[in-house]
Amino acid sequence: MAMNNSILTFMVLLVGFFVFCKGQEDTSIGPMEKNEQEALYAAIQGFVGKSWNGSDLYPDPCGWTPIQGVSCDLYNGFWYVSALNIGPVYDNSLQCTRSAEFTHHLFMLKHLRKLSFFNCFFSPHQKPVRIPTSNWENFTESLESLEFRSNPGLIGTIPTSFGYLKNLESLVLLENGLTGELPQEMGSLVKLRRLVLGENQLFGQIPASFGGLKELLILDLSMNKLSGSLPWTLGNLTSLLKLDLSNNMLEKELPSAIGNLKNLTLMDLGRNNFSGGLVQSLQEMVSLKEMVMSNNPLLGGNLNGIQWQNLQNLEFLDLSNMGLTGNIPESMTELKRLRFLGLNNNNLSGSLSPRLASLPCISALYLYGNDLAGKLEFSEGFYRKMGKRFGAWNNPNICYQTELMLSTSNVPYGVKPCKQERD
């Protein structure tokens, strides 16, 4: 009887072991499709050099021998590449050679969702590289993120065939050597949430078609050579949180439709050639935390057409070197969250409200290079707190009241004392 029990126990354990192993087999991770694996090796080899032998170094790139910068997902029981990142992000990342180039194998990765190149194409003179103009339609359904960052050797134009990438959510072409005009076709990428094309050599106008990118959260076209006026269609981008068009050659009047951007928290239009003054609709951008309009010397106009008290979230306001005239409106003293106010290098006149000093968060107030006049009625404690971050020099007709000062060590830099009136 004891022997029968031992045999029964052994049989139960054997069956359990068989079921366990069988279960493991049923849930085992699938293989990588051969064509996909060969395309991956060949695509990487084009960037990192022919001496790189992927089949020897990484025989199972989606399994037990993963490649840094490569991610995979399962489709119908097979592994496919879902992300490919080329560039020195980590110590053992895939790094490009001086002869890096695109091969057609890249476009054979049929389930690729993310593709990025960082510091991969080095020299615009020795071995310049252009973004391929064809085969992007292979990624119409799959690609969601495409990035080229810090590639000075990446030249030529932005391919119009990017318009095929209907599921693209992020397009970043930052710090490259790209030239040419912005393709109208990019306006059809209606799922884009981030479009960053800064620090290239792009020229021409901003296409009106960009107004169709209604899910866009970030639009950065800064540090290029873009010209012409802002299309009124930018007012359609009502989801936008960040707009940076600084350091271009944009001109003419600001469109009043810009006031539609009520979710915008950062707007930088500095270092352009806008004219026609500040549009009144700016006061409708109630979510703004940072507004930079500085270094638009042709903009002109005055500050009194805007109800500044509406912009209660504003923390950083730079309106320097804009050709502004008139006085500083009292409504600016209602900006309770303001940390930085730059009004320097304009043609502002009139006296300063003492309420400016009572702004609870102010830590930098620059008013130098204007034609302000009258007595500064700020306390010695204000001057002591601010130091040279209160800049009122180069205003010949202002002075500080000596009777408000206990010490000469905290007087405002570059401002003369008021003359004592005799009885």
Side-chain angles (χ1 to χ4, degrees):
M1 186 71 176
M3 181 177 290
N4 288 339
N5 287 339
S6 299
I7 293 173
L8 182 60
T9 302
F10 175 75
M11 291 298 293
V12 170
L13 291 172
L14 184 63
V15 170
F17 178 75
F18 174 77
V19 169
F20 174 78
C21 291
K22 186 66 176 175
Q24 288 288 86
E25 181 182 318
D26 287 344
T27 59
S28 63
I29 294 176
M32 189 174 190
E33 192 181 66
K34 182 179 179 183
N35 290 342
E36 179 85 357
Q37 190 168 356
E38 291 177 350
L40 174 64
Y41 293 150
I44 292 176
Q45 201 172 50
F47 301 117
V48 305
K50 298 189 182 301
S51 62
W52 186 85
N53 191 330
S55 58
D56 287 347
L57 294 170
Y58 306 98
D60 186 13
C62 292
W64 59 277
T65 57
I67 305 173
Q68 181 68 265
V70 176
S71 299
C72 305
D73 282 332
L74 277 171
Y75 295 89
N76 299 322
F78 287 90
W79 281 119
Y80 290 91
V81 178
S82 59
L84 178 58
N85 305 289
I86 307 291
V89 179
Y90 304 104
D91 290 341
N92 56 343
S93 295
L94 297 166
Q95 299 193 30
C96 289
T97 65
R98 294 283 174 179
S99 58
E101 62 180 1
F102 291 90
T103 68
H104 70 279
H105 304 94
L106 175 66
F107 299 95
M108 296 171 64
L109 304 175
K110 61 183 72 174
H111 291 288
L112 194 64
R113 292 190 293 113
K114 297 182 179 180
L115 177 62
S116 73
F117 299 89
F118 170 69
N119 198 20
C120 185
F121 310 109
F122 308 109
S123 173
H125 307 294
Q126 296 176 356
K127 180 66 170 148
V129 176
R130 297 173 184 266
I131 300 175
T133 58
S134 58
N135 292 320
W136 291 102
E137 63 273 13
N138 292 3
F139 295 147
T140 296
E141 300 298 328
S142 64
L143 203 61
E144 299 172 0
S145 176
L146 176 60
E147 299 192 2
F148 292 85
R149 294 177 182 264
S150 303
N151 296 285
L154 189 69
I155 65 167
T157 59
I158 299 173
T160 59
S161 51
F162 277 4
Y164 287 116
L165 304 175
K166 303 298 185 185
N167 285 316
L168 206 61
E169 297 180 4
S170 176
L171 177 59
V172 177
L173 308 175
L174 182 65
E175 295 181 351
N176 302 298
L178 298 171
T179 58
E181 299 188 358
L182 300 175
Q184 295 274 353
E185 290 79 0
M186 291 172 66
S188 65
L189 304 178
V190 294
K191 291 188 177 181
L192 270 185
R193 300 171 68 83
R194 177 170 61 168
L195 178 58
V196 177
L197 309 177
E199 297 187 57
N200 286 284
Q201 299 178 45
L202 303 168
F203 55 81
Q205 296 192 356
I206 299 173
S209 64
F210 277 25
L213 306 177
K214 295 184 179 180
E215 294 190 18
L216 209 58
L217 301 178
I218 297 173
L219 177 59
D220 185 347
L221 308 178
S222 62
M223 300 186 71
N224 281 289
K225 300 177 181 178
L226 300 173
S227 59
S229 58
L230 293 186
W232 66 269
T233 54
L234 287 185
N236 295 337
L237 308 182
T238 53
S239 296
L240 209 60
L241 302 177
K242 174 184 175 181
L243 175 64
D244 190 348
L245 306 178
S246 63
N247 289 274
N248 279 289
M249 297 183 290
L250 298 166
E251 56 189 6
K252 299 184 180 178
E253 296 181 3
L254 298 172
S256 60
I258 202 169
N260 296 342
L261 308 182
K262 293 180 172 57
N263 290 308
L264 203 65
T265 60
L266 183 152
M267 180 175 69
D268 191 346
L269 304 181
R271 296 189 181 276
N272 280 289
N273 297 313
F274 291 115
S275 58
L278 297 172
V279 291
Q280 188 176 14
S281 61
L282 289 174
Q283 69 192 31
E284 299 170 19
M285 304 173 75
V286 294
S287 296
L288 270 183
K289 292 183 177 180
E290 297 187 35
M291 182 195 297
V292 179
M293 304 287 293
S294 56
N295 295 294
N296 279 283
L298 304 177
L299 192 63
N302 61 61
L303 299 171
N304 292 292
I306 295 175
Q307 297 181 36
W308 294 99
Q309 69 272 20
N310 291 359
L311 305 179
Q312 284 298 309
N313 289 303
L314 209 56
E315 299 176 6
F316 189 102
L317 178 60
D318 191 352
L319 305 177
S320 58
N321 191 26
M322 290 172 46
L324 294 170
T325 58
N327 66 322
I328 299 173
E330 191 76 10
S331 59
M332 278 192 163
T333 65
E334 301 294 330
L335 300 175
K336 302 303 183 184
R337 297 185 181 181
L338 201 63
R339 295 181 290 103
F340 178 100
L341 177 59
L343 297 173
N344 50 287
N345 295 323
N346 283 293
N347 297 307
L348 296 170
S349 56
S351 59
L352 289 176
S353 169
R355 293 178 62 193
L356 282 172
S358 64
L359 288 171
C361 299
I362 198 71
S363 59
L365 176 58
Y366 295 115
L367 307 167
Y368 59 87
N370 281 290
D371 194 24
L372 299 170
K375 297 179 180 180
L376 296 180
E377 299 179 17
F378 302 154
S379 69
E380 182 180 4
F382 173 77
Y383 298 133
R384 182 170 59 249
K385 178 186 79 169
M386 301 288 282
K388 287 190 178 180
R389 288 178 285 107
F390 172 69
W393 54 88
N394 291 343
N395 283 282
N397 297 312
I398 63 172
C399 61
Y400 67 89
Q401 290 182 281
T402 55
E403 59 266 29
L404 297 179
M405 310 296 292
L406 297 176
S407 168
T408 58
S409 62
N410 296 313
V411 299
Y413 177 80
V415 179
K416 63 189 178 186
C418 296
K419 293 181 179 179
Q420 295 288 339
E421 294 183 6
R422 296 182 180 180
D423 294 334

